[in-house]
Amino acid sequence: MPVIPPKRNRAASRGRGREMYKWRHQTESFLARIKEFRAVATRHDRTDESFAAGIHLVAGVIPAT
């Protein structure tokens, strides 16, 4: 099911999932804010566990919007 809205000048209109688009926007915004932290963006951690811990730490620091 398409999530991104179609272009306005498209000949045949197609539907989109409005609720799914809201969830996608929230997810992409969250990932963009996490990438502001250099250690997470460049992935300096050696193990998956320490990388996941870094993500959890950053998620706790970022204020909810």
Side-chain angles (χ1 to χ4, degrees):
M1 179 174 175
V3 177
I4 301 172
K7 293 175 70 174
R8 293 179 190 258
N9 62 352
R10 188 178 177 101
S13 180
R14 65 177 186 194
R16 68 176 170 115
R18 188 173 291 271
E19 287 298 317
M20 288 292 290
Y21 189 71
K22 287 180 185 178
W23 283 105
R24 178 186 171 158
H25 177 71
Q26 276 187 333
T27 303
E28 288 187 4
S29 297
F30 175 71
L31 292 175
R33 294 194 65 192
I34 278 183
K35 288 181 182 178
E36 292 175 4
F37 292 83
R38 183 174 175 261
V40 175
T42 56
R43 191 161 184 195
H44 286 297
D45 302 317
R46 293 182 181 263
T47 62
D48 292 339
E49 291 85 15
S50 60
F51 180 67
I55 289 177
H56 288 288
L57 182 65
V58 170
V61 172
I62 294 175
T65 54

